[in-house]
Amino acid sequence: MTDRLETASSRRLACSRCGTEFACTLDGECWCMEETARLPTPREGEDCLCRECLRKAAAATRHGAAG
């Protein structure tokens, strides 16, 4: 389960894959919106991914590998 510390404007998450903590803003300006990768995420049982895991998952998808 993802560890979350939430506030009115942002939340702290732990990446579902590696456990790295990062911030997610709830106002639609999250860093992930800057990424070119658009994955069908989260996978079942997952929440958001950190930037590095998102990029790795996108690369694996492009190469036909499982994340």
Side-chain angles (χ1 to χ4, degrees):
M1 179 173 197
T2 303
D3 181 28
R4 297 181 188 184
L5 301 174
E6 298 185 20
T7 66
S9 63
S10 70
R11 60 186 184 152
R12 294 287 303 163
L13 296 173
C15 177
S16 294
R17 296 192 183 178
C18 73
T20 297
E21 289 189 19
F22 61 97
C24 175
T25 59
L26 302 175
D27 61 6
E29 299 295 326
C30 189
W31 61 264
C32 67
M33 298 305 290
E34 299 170 2
E35 293 293 315
T36 58
R38 296 292 180 254
L39 302 175
T41 55
R43 293 190 310 197
E44 187 172 333
E46 284 189 336
D47 199 344
C48 296
L49 303 178
C50 68
R51 189 180 307 260
E52 185 174 338
C53 287
L54 178 62
R55 290 177 177 172
K56 285 179 182 179
T61 299
R62 282 192 303 269
H63 294 91

